[in-house]
Amino acid sequence: MAAAAAVLLFVLVSRIAATTDKYGTFLLSGSNLEWPSVAEESGDILYGRYEPRKILVHGFQMDGDRAFVTMPRFTKTGVPWSLGVFRLDASDFEPDIRPYPDYGHYDGKSCGGGAGRACIVNVVDAYAEAGVLWALDTGTVNVLWKPLRLGPARLIAVDLATDAVIRAADLSPVTWPDSVLEHVVAVRTSCGRLYVYVSDVARHRIVVYDAAADRLHTIRLPETAAADGHRRPAVLYLVPVSVAGRSYVYFTYRHSGYVFSLDAWSRDSVAHGAVSEVGVKPVGMHVLGSDGGTNVYFRTSGGGGGGTDVWAWDVNRPLDVRSFVLVHRSYLYLTPTAVVAGWRNTVWTVESNYDEYAAGDVDCTGARTLLRPLNGGVDDCNGFL
C-alpha cells in the first residue's frame, strides 16, 4: 500500500511541479541525504544510525535561497541528523539534505569534551530571525513513544552568515524531567530586544529566553489541557503575530477551546506574562504557523478532507468561521505540518504522510514530504468551513 501510494504521489507532484515553475515543488525524504564523505555514510549505515524509513521531514524555515528542515528523532535510532539544509532551486525537484550546521555536531567522535563542538541530540523545531537560526534541541530521542534523555534541553543559535554555532543556552534551570518542549519562535520588542519563546506543554508554561541578558524565565499559562483520551499527547502551539506594528505570540493547545495572546511588545509585558484571551475556537484548529503578520494558518480536525486543507485567519477579524479562508488543498493522504513565509516572497507549506509514518506504514525508502507554495496548482481555493 505504501509503495503504491509513493508512486502515485510521484506522478501527482510531477504534475504540480510543472504548474509552479516560478517557485518549484520539492520532494523531501530520508532517501535523499548528503554526507560529507562516503566514510561517514557507510558508518551510519553499518551501525544502524541511518534508516530512511525512520526519517520524516516535519518542519522548516527559510533564509534567502536556503531551506532548513527539522527531522526529529521520533525513534531511538535511524536519523543521522535532526536539522538539515538544502538549496532552493526550482529545477531541483528532489534536493539532497545536508546536516546543519555540519556533520560534526551529530557525530559523537567529533563533538563534546575537548572537541570544541556542542553535540546536537534532537532538534524538533527551529525559527529563523535576523540572520540567526534558533534550534530547539530537546535532548531526548524516541519522542513519539517513550522519550529517552541523552542530554539537556537547549536553545542552539546558529549564525546563518557563517554557519557557526554562536550560543547553546541550557534550558535545564527552567525545565523539569517531565517537560515536553515542542515549538520555538523568536520575537523582538519595540526597542529591538530579542526574546525566544519555547512551549513546554507538559508543565503548562512558556519558557522565555532573553537573548541579550542570557537569562531565562517561564510564564505560567491560564489553562491546562490533557491528552485526547490518552490516545494523542497534548500540543501547545506558538505563533508570532504582528498587529499594527505591535508584536504578539499567539498560543493554544491542540485540544483546547481557547486561543490566547502574549504581548511581546515591551520588556515589562514579557517579564510579567501579559496574557489575554483572544476568543473561543469555533472548530478544532491545528495551528501550522503564520506569515509573520496578521495571518495565522491552520488545519481543522475531522474527516471528509477538512483535516488536510490549510485555512487562514486574519487576527484582525473575529475568531469565527466566517473569518476563515481556505488557501490550500493537500493531496491524497498528505497532512500539512508547518506553514512559513519565505523564499520569493511567498508562503510555503510542508505536508507529509505523517499518519502513515506514525503508524509504521511506510516502506524502506521512508516517508514522503512535499514543500510547495500555498495554493500551488490549485485553481480555486477560496471558501469557508
Side-chain angles (χ1 to χ4, degrees), residues 71-281:
M71 301 177 290
R73 285 173 163 160
F74 290 122
T75 58
K76 289 183 180 179
T77 59
V79 183
W81 54 84
S82 54
L83 180 62
V85 63
F86 67 90
R87 189 72 60 179
L88 290 159
D89 180 349
S91 64
D92 189 1
F93 176 56
E94 294 186 74
D96 290 333
I97 301 172
R98 305 186 306 278
Y100 193 79
D102 61 46
Y103 183 81
H105 285 88
Y106 304 90
D107 179 11
K109 299 177 182 178
S110 304
C111 64
R117 293 183 182 178
C119 288
I120 297 177
V121 177
N122 185 21
V123 174
V124 298
D125 197 22
Y127 191 85
E129 200 280 337
V132 175
L133 186 71
W134 293 92
L136 175 59
D137 181 0
T138 64
T140 59
V141 297
N142 203 41
V143 296
L144 268 188
W145 289 272
K146 187 176 181 181
L148 173 66
R149 182 159 298 283
L150 301 181
R154 294 178 304 167
L155 272 175
I156 298 173
V158 185
D159 187 323
L160 293 174
T162 63
D163 297 328
V165 174
I166 56 176
R167 190 173 303 184
D170 188 345
L171 301 181
S172 298
V174 291
T175 56
W176 288 260
D178 63 340
S179 288
V180 177
L181 308 180
E182 296 173 321
H183 296 286
V184 58
V185 298
V187 178
R188 292 187 182 273
T189 63
S190 59
C191 60
R193 194 177 185 93
L194 180 67
Y195 289 90
V196 185
Y197 303 85
V198 175
S199 64
D200 184 349
V201 63
R203 303 294 300 184
H204 311 296
R205 286 173 168 83
I206 294 177
V207 174
V208 183
Y209 176 63
D210 183 340
D214 191 22
R215 186 179 301 144
L216 292 158
H217 73 276
T218 63
I219 297 173
R220 186 185 296 272
L221 303 186
E223 68 162 358
T224 61
D228 181 14
H230 303 289
R231 290 183 289 108
R232 300 192 70 173
V235 176
L236 175 58
Y237 302 109
L238 303 181
V239 59
V241 169
S242 178
V243 180
R246 191 180 182 97
S247 300
Y248 298 87
V249 176
Y250 277 44
F251 63 91
T252 182
Y253 290 97
R254 178 169 60 193
H255 301 301
S256 164
Y258 298 89
V259 175
F260 297 90
S261 70
L262 168 66
D263 189 341
W265 190 233
S266 73
R267 291 178 61 180
D268 287 343
S269 64
V270 175
H272 298 293
V275 172
S276 59
E277 182 181 319
V278 175
V280 178
K281 299 176 189 174

Side-chain angles (χ1 to χ4, degrees), residues 305-339:
T308 61
D309 295 334
V310 177
W311 297 79
W313 166 50
D314 186 332
V315 300
N316 287 312
R317 303 188 64 186
L319 185 55
D320 184 273
V321 291
R322 289 169 294 184
S323 302
F324 299 161
V325 178
L326 178 62
V327 293
H328 183 82
R329 291 192 182 278
S330 296
Y331 288 83
L332 295 175
Y333 53 89
L334 299 182
T335 300
T337 58
V339 171

